[in-house]
Amino acid sequence: MLIVRATKKLLDHANPPRPVEGDQDTTVLGPWYATALFWRPRLALLVNERTLLPVLLPLAPARSLPARISDEIATMLDAHQVPKAFIADELRNMQDCRFATTASRSVVGIMNEFTKLAEIYTDSARPNLIALSLRLATTPCSPLYAKNVSPDRELAALVRSTTA
């Protein structure tokens, strides 16, 4: 099961399925955080709690967002050259997606920073979301300073440690 901890803005807009008592994330990457970006077109920004890896995806149609998240995460993992076996395991564990409220102000702060940076980096009305997500992933993040500094490096270290 994949637990997505979403901001009130996204929860109100998408009205996704909620977890029940005892539901826990079963993925190696752990929970993801999400918010809505009311740009044109509207986007969702996901940030992984463990690695701070950002993933941008179209928000519309909002009702289908829970069903699309796992494929978008897999696409981003592939763009980061994560081994196919790791991606397949994550996809298997993401079959059921539930949304809860945010629990970490630190991760919400990182989402806010990524939002500001994405606005700065976006140079067209139709940005390439994969390229923009990859660029955001190279951003040094203070929670990662003692480890691998940026989300892309943190992801690579996590994958190496689990596949070794």
Side-chain angles (χ1 to χ4, degrees):
M1 171 175 298
L2 173 64
I3 302 292
V4 176
R5 298 195 164 277
T7 59
K8 183 176 180 346
K9 174 169 55 170
L10 180 62
L11 291 172
D12 290 346
H13 188 71
N15 195 23
R18 304 294 182 102
V20 295
E21 187 74 29
D23 281 351
Q24 292 185 350
D25 198 291
T26 58
T27 65
V28 171
L29 290 172
W32 288 76
Y33 278 62
T35 192
L37 305 180
F38 293 114
W39 301 357
R40 292 197 188 268
R42 292 181 176 187
L43 302 175
L45 169 64
L46 300 173
V47 174
N48 181 253
E49 182 178 53
R50 190 169 181 183
T51 64
L52 302 180
L53 184 74
V55 177
L56 288 162
L57 64 146
L59 181 57
R63 296 258 181 229
S64 71
L65 184 64
R68 293 183 288 121
I69 284 179
S70 59
D71 288 337
E72 295 290 342
I73 291 172
T75 299
M76 187 51 51
L77 293 174
D78 188 52
H80 282 278
Q81 300 177 346
V82 170
K84 303 283 186 212
F86 183 93
I87 296 170
D89 286 343
E90 284 295 281
L91 280 172
R92 211 174 2 270
N93 289 315
M94 290 183 200
Q95 301 240 339
D96 190 15
C97 181
R98 304 286 174 155
F99 283 66
T101 57
T102 59
S104 169
R105 291 189 312 191
S106 176
V107 179
V108 171
I110 295 293
M111 279 196 309
N112 291 335
E113 290 300 315
F114 281 153
T115 299
K116 290 175 189 172
L117 286 172
E119 289 172 356
I120 292 167
Y121 295 157
T122 302
D123 57 358
S124 71
R126 294 249 181 235
N128 179 328
L129 299 182
I130 293 173
L132 185 54
S133 297
L134 287 169
R135 185 169 184 191
L136 290 173
T138 64
T139 304
C141 298
S142 60
L144 301 176
Y145 283 169
K147 300 177 194 174
N148 296 293
V149 181
S150 63
D152 59 343
R153 292 177 182 177
E154 186 70 16
L155 174 66
L158 173 68
V159 170
R160 272 193 310 274
S161 72
T162 60
T163 57

